[in-house]
Amino acid sequence: MPASVVVGTQWGDEGKGKATDYLADRMDLVVRYQGGNNAGHTILAEGHTLKLQLIPSGILYPHITSVIADGVVVDPRVLLEEMDGLAAVGVDPSRLMVSGNCHMIMPYHLELEKVTERFLGKNALGTTKRGIGPAYGDKAARIGLRIQDLFDEKIFREKLDVALREKNLVLTRVYGRLPLTVGLIVDDYMRYAERLRPHIADTSKLIHEALREGKNVLLEGAQGTMLDLDKGTYPFVTSSNPVTGYALASAGIGPREVERVIGITKAYVTRVGAGPFPTEDHGPGGERLGTLGQEFGTVTGRKRRCGWFDAVILRYAARVNGLTELFVTKLDVLSGFPTLKVCTSYRAEGETFEDVPSNQSLFHAAEPVYEELAGWDEDLTGARSIEDLPGAARAYLDRLADLVGVPISVVSVGPGREQSLPAA
Ligand code: GDP
């Protein structure tokens, strides 16, 4: 049985949590492949609103093994808190498996991110200040600590000592902060180790064996394609790779295992933080999308920037991820607009761009070229099949699929499980 990948096609917050939850029904393993506790999936199930930042949303299904793969950075304190939170609402977290290769977020990562963002002033990246960027930085610099290091206190202490020698100099001499002490960190992390021990596994092998046994594996990304470290709008990006290619590296499987690549896309576009966003609407249209769509960050509570559907970035996402289908969310939010704008290309420096300009200055300067489609007034939240949608909403969806060149497989008209309508 094949693997499927769920990937965000815009700037994150597309509703991947909901999409994964919908698809999870048919899955045996759900694997989170990048990011850290900055993802903030919101899932509405069985009367509970659950906010999961790290644990894959598949945990809500008793038949699913949830996996955190190598490419995720893990703050063990946050992971344990999330597990306790699940247990408190009656969800059994014992089926969670975590790779021993995951790099850990350490207290100095949190501290350093706080002070460096302050130092950058108006050039601050607007990070979630969870220590995720600094943890990925240390991974690349090869001074990171991995979860498996927790299980040998001597090794853990040695590695921590090496890391702290440099970190404390930076904290004290550059930023005028107090140094961190090895002993206190060791005490805390050894306590985490005891609780995490039963959850640690060779997840690459686990995934491989599941695929050999004919099980269904869903690889779940966080953030979105335009926030990808390599493929996004650098430097206004996340510190890892949400694109499909990284799902393979992180899970440790080959490309031929993947059959479906499901691109999650909002019926409009939002973005948190700074960086280019050609279809942003600074007027009442954008305000209305933000209010009706409740566009506030799950993790930070920050107001998201809002704008119109951008077929240019979607075509790009389709290309760099190899999308086989689209899962369109939040169509219900568009009810009540007399007309809806859809961006088909950009204009920059006298030229027309059908694709995302590879030169970032051009992307910053890009002006959207819009096509206007008819809106609809009907409330869509009660629709239970595609046939229940008004003609204008169906025409809107058909046009999106046409412009992107990828078929739509599911349309979502509300946060509930029953509000996901199969479209193909
Ligand atoms: P993710 O990070 O991509 O999983 O996105 P979030 O979970 O942060 O954002 C999705 C938010 O929109 C959540 O609050 C969902 O409950 C909600 N949501 C998801 N799909 C729909 C939809 O079709 N309509 C509406 N109105 N809300 C939705």
Side-chain angles (χ1 to χ4, degrees):
M1 273 294 159
S4 307
V5 181
V6 159
V7 62
T9 57
Q10 297 158 329
W11 278 283
D13 310 311
E14 298 93 348
K16 291 177 296 293
K18 184 187 172 188
T20 306
D21 182 60
Y22 169 79
L23 296 159
D25 225 359
R26 280 154 275 166
M27 296 294 157
D28 301 295
L29 247 72
V30 174
V31 182
R32 171 82 188 273
Y33 63 82
Q34 47 73 230
N37 53 310
N38 54 350
H41 289 325
T42 314
I43 295 136
L44 198 65
E46 275 130 41
H48 297 297
T49 302
L50 281 178
K51 294 193 181 206
L52 298 176
Q53 297 176 353
L54 196 52
I55 298 178
S57 39
I59 195 82
L60 301 182
Y61 288 83
H63 69 276
I64 286 180
T65 301
S66 287
V67 176
I68 295 180
D70 302 27
V72 177
V73 288
V74 173
D75 185 329
R77 186 183 58 79
V78 173
L79 178 60
L80 290 167
E81 271 174 20
E82 257 184 44
M83 285 161 63
D84 290 342
L86 285 168
V89 294
V91 178
D92 173 18
S94 70
R95 291 160 293 107
L96 174 70
M97 290 297 149
V98 182
S99 170
N101 290 344
C102 290
H103 279 249
M104 285 189 290
I105 296 172
M106 305 298 293
Y108 45 84
H109 292 137
L110 296 160
E111 194 67 15
L112 280 167
E113 191 162 40
K114 231 187 308 173
V115 287
T116 48
E117 277 282 280
R118 216 175 289 154
F119 183 75
L120 287 170
K122 71 174 181 45
N123 293 325
L125 295 169
T127 76
T128 50
K129 300 195 182 68
R130 304 284 163 102
I132 292 160
Y136 275 115
D138 279 358
K139 175 179 178 177
R142 281 141 308 159
I143 52 163
L145 274 83
R146 296 189 296 171
I147 287 188
Q148 57 179 282
D149 297 327
L150 288 173
F151 304 110
D152 184 329
E153 187 177 333
K154 187 164 161 284
I155 286 184
F156 180 78
R157 197 178 273 276
E158 271 171 25
K159 290 191 177 179
L160 180 61
D161 214 28
V162 170
L164 268 189
R165 235 178 281 156
E166 187 242 330
K167 304 295 178 196
N168 273 340
L169 278 180
V170 176
L171 280 171
T172 54
R173 302 233 179 129
V174 179
Y175 296 108
R177 311 290 293 184
L178 291 171
L180 302 178
T181 32
V182 176
L184 290 179
I185 299 177
V186 171
D187 290 349
D188 283 344
Y189 277 65
M190 287 303 116
R191 270 203 315 278
Y192 305 149
E194 273 329 293
R195 290 200 52 202
L196 286 177
R197 195 186 288 275
H199 297 275
I200 307 307
D202 178 346
T203 53
S204 166
K205 193 155 168 249
L206 187 79
I207 296 164
H208 180 80
E209 281 168 0
L211 287 167
R212 291 291 75 79
E213 284 166 21
K215 294 187 171 157
N216 285 313
V217 175
L218 187 68
L219 306 169
E220 173 191 30
Q223 291 89 39
T225 301
M226 301 310 287
L227 291 174
D228 187 275
L229 185 57
D230 291 281
K231 295 283 166 285
T233 50
Y234 189 90
F236 306 104
V237 292
T238 197
S239 42
S240 62
N241 295 93
V243 296
T244 308
Y246 193 66
L248 308 178
S250 173
I253 59 172
R256 286 163 60 169
E257 306 281 8
V258 176
E259 187 180 71
R260 297 171 68 187
V261 182
I262 305 153
I264 316 305
T265 177
K266 256 181 220 179
Y268 50 98
V269 183
T270 63
R271 168 164 206 166
V272 173
F277 178 2
T279 63
E280 182 169 14
D281 186 330
H282 299 277
E287 265 310 304
R288 184 183 159 95
L289 289 171
T291 308
L292 296 182
Q294 297 183 334
E295 298 298 350
F296 300 93
T298 325
V299 177
T300 57
R302 274 183 293 179
K303 200 171 168 182
R304 297 174 182 148
R305 298 157 65 193
C306 298
W308 302 100
F309 186 85
D310 184 342
V312 183
I313 66 165
L314 250 290
R315 282 196 291 270
Y316 176 74
R319 170 158 69 79
V320 302
N321 290 299
L323 299 183
T324 59
E325 60 205 88
L326 297 175
F327 188 123
V328 178
T329 63
K330 293 196 149 181
L331 187 67
D332 53 300
V333 173
L334 296 184
S335 293
F337 283 96
T339 57
L340 298 164
K341 289 197 263 192
V342 172
C343 169
T344 54
S345 61
Y346 302 146
R347 293 284 296 166
E349 295 187 358
E351 263 188 84
T352 299
F353 292 86
E354 302 285 335
D355 204 347
V356 173
S358 61
N359 177 310
Q360 186 162 357
S361 299
L362 285 174
F363 196 19
H364 274 275
E367 292 286 337
V369 176
Y370 285 121
E371 178 174 300
E372 297 225 350
L373 301 180
W376 59 87
D377 283 327
E378 292 88 335
D379 173 7
L380 306 187
T381 55
R384 291 298 172 267
S385 82
I386 284 290
E387 286 70 38
D388 295 339
L389 297 178
R394 284 158 70 181
Y396 181 79
L397 292 168
D398 288 345
R399 187 65 185 136
L400 300 196
D402 227 29
L403 284 168
V404 180
V406 177
I408 294 171
S409 61
V410 186
V411 177
S412 168
V413 292
R417 271 186 191 166
E418 68 293 349
Q419 290 167 307
S420 294
L421 322 176

